[in-house]
């Protein structure tokens, strides 16, 4: 895609708003539509757009293979770890009410944590799958 | 207001029919198309129409997922896969009458089963009687977030969401192990042959 200046310039303008929108969907999921799953996919799509326009090898400089692999497992570990934290604080597995003094605040904290875990795993999974299919990995 | 006999036709009814007909046309064209690029694009359009349909049905969270995953990411992933295969579908000469019979009978049975299903949005339907009232009326007090889809997915059904996240993790791990490993092996063998040439 080296001969397409319009695509190269317009994609550079788009990538930052896409990342910002992904973060908005991630942290606004409690109030509006969206959540970790959708946010992860949108976050990954920014990197995929970059890879389509500038090539996978350039995108891998920003998001190397070892980083996506670590993030891939970190997300699941955050989710499972939140559940274990609930057990250690005296509740049932994934019963977030015990995380803070007020049960409803604990629930909100727990939901935020696990949504973050979901978002991390989903985005790195999508990036990994695309980069593997598109080559250079 | 448009009426048909005793029934009032709402704008959403017309929208439903139009969108479902569009989906039907897209699905039929998917059967007859041979060009894989066109097929991928058509399945993206199918997903996008489904996403619009979910908005009409007031399920914006599902629609959001369908638009980003169905129409967005899977189209891109299929295009990336297309780069590894031929552009045209392989033509199959012989006809499989047994498969056609199985598909027709299954479809007819599924269609027959829908007759017994409650009407869409029926408040007396079993699905709206079981745990749904608790999620709707109590989630604000028990869990907190104003979006009850989030409280259902993350709190009431936290185990299911953990399972889904693990499935996605497993999918990516599988891709790394199968495709990544195959490519690495090819690269090392190419390096070896290069060394031999020298």
């Amino acid at each position: 895609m080296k001969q397409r200046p319009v695509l190269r310039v317009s994609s550079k303008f788009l990538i930052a708003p896409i990342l910002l929108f992904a973060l908005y969907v991630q942290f606004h999921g409690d109030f509006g539509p969206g959540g970790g799953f959708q946010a992860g996919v949108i976050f990954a799509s920014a990197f995929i757009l970059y890879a389509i326009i500038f090539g996978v090898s350039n995108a891998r400089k920003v998001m190397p293979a070892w980083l996506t692999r670590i993030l891939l497992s970190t997300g699941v570990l955050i989710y499972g770890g939140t559940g274990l934290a609930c057990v250690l604080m005296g509740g049932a597995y994934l019963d977030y009410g015990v995380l803070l003094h007020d049960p409803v605040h604990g629930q909100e904290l727990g939901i935020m944590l696990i949504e973050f875990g979901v978002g991390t795993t989903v985005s790195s999974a999508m990036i990994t799958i695309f980069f593997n299919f598109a080559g250079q990995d | 207001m448009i009426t048909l006999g005793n029934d009032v036709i709402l704008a959403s009814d017309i929208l439903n029919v139009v969108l479902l007909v569009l989906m039907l046309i897209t699905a039929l064209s998917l059967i007859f198309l041979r060009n894989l690029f066109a097929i991928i694009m058509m399945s993206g359009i199918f997903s996008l129409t489904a996403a619009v349909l979910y908005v009409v049905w007031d399920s914006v969270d599902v629609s959001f997922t369908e638009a980003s995953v169905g129409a967005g990411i899977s189209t891109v992933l299929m295009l990336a896969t297309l780069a590894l295969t031929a552009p045209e579908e392989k033509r199959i000469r012989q006809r499989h009458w047994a498969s056609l019979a199985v598909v027709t009978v299954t479809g007819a049975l599924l269609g027959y089963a829908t007759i017994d299903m409650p009407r869409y949005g029926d408040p007396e339907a079993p699905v709206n009687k079981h745990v749904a009232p608790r999620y709707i009326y109590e989630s604000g007090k028990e869990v907190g977030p104003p979006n009850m889809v989030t409280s259902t997915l993350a709190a009431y059904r936290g185990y299911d969401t953990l399972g889904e996240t693990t499935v996605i993790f497993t999918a990516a791990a599988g891709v790394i192990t199968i495709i990544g490993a195959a490519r690495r092996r090819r690269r090392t063998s190419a390096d070896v042959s290069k060394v031999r040439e020298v």
Side-chain angles (χ1 to χ4, degrees), chain A residues 36-61:
Chain A
F37 198 85
Q38 294 93 327
V41 171
I42 295 169
F43 198 80
S45 72
F47 287 92
I48 290 174
L49 175 66
Y50 187 85
I52 290 173
I53 305 287
F54 298 97
V56 176
S57 52
N58 279 325
R60 268 301 187 205
K61 287 177 191 158

Side-chain angles (χ1 to χ4, degrees), chain A residues 29-30 32 34 37-38 79 96 132, chain B residues 61 65 73 147 150 154 158 168 183:
Chain A
D30 294 4
F37 198 85
Q38 294 93 327
Y79 202 136
Y96 322 118
N132 266 293
Chain B
D61 276 274
T65 315
I73 284 284
N147 182 4
T150 302
I168 292 162
R183 201 165 272 142

Side-chain angles (χ1 to χ4, degrees), chain A residues 29-34 37-38 41 48 72 79 93 96 104 107 111 114-115 118 125-126 128 130 132-133 135 137, chain B residues 61 65 68-69 73 76 81 141 143 145-147 150 154 158-159 161-162 165 168-169 175-176 179-180 183-184 187:
Chain A
D30 294 4
F31 304 96
F37 198 85
Q38 294 93 327
V41 171
I48 290 174
L72 191 65
Y79 202 136
Y93 190 69
Y96 322 118
V104 171
Q107 291 278 1
I111 288 174
I114 66 130
E115 290 278 4
V118 173
M126 297 302 161
T128 304
F130 180 80
N132 266 293
F133 273 96
D137 227 23
Chain B
D61 276 274
T65 315
S68 55
V69 178
I73 284 284
V76 172
T81 320
K141 277 169 262 162
V143 186
N147 182 4
T150 302
Y159 275 75
T161 313
L162 177 60
T165 315
I168 292 162
F169 169 78
V175 167
I176 293 174
I179 297 181
R183 201 165 272 142
R184 224 168 297 132
R187 203 181 295 155

Side-chain angles (χ1 to χ4, degrees), chain A residues 49-136:
Chain A
L49 175 66
Y50 187 85
I52 290 173
I53 305 287
F54 298 97
V56 176
S57 52
N58 279 325
R60 268 301 187 205
K61 287 177 191 158
V62 191
M63 199 51 119
W66 59 266
L67 186 61
T68 40
R69 276 168 208 191
I70 289 174
L71 288 176
L72 191 65
S73 34
T74 310
V76 183
L77 287 176
I78 290 175
Y79 202 136
T82 311
L84 280 182
C86 298
V87 175
L88 291 178
M89 316 256 305
Y93 190 69
L94 292 177
D95 180 15
Y96 322 118
V98 293
L99 287 176
L100 292 175
H101 288 298
D102 185 46
V104 171
H105 285 177
Q107 291 278 1
E108 281 176 355
L109 177 71
I111 288 174
M112 206 196 79
L113 284 173
I114 66 130
E115 290 278 4
F116 185 68
V118 173
T120 312
T121 292
V122 169
S123 61
S124 42
M126 297 302 161
I127 293 173
T128 304
I129 294 174
F130 180 80
F131 283 9
N132 266 293
F133 273 96
Q136 302 269 339

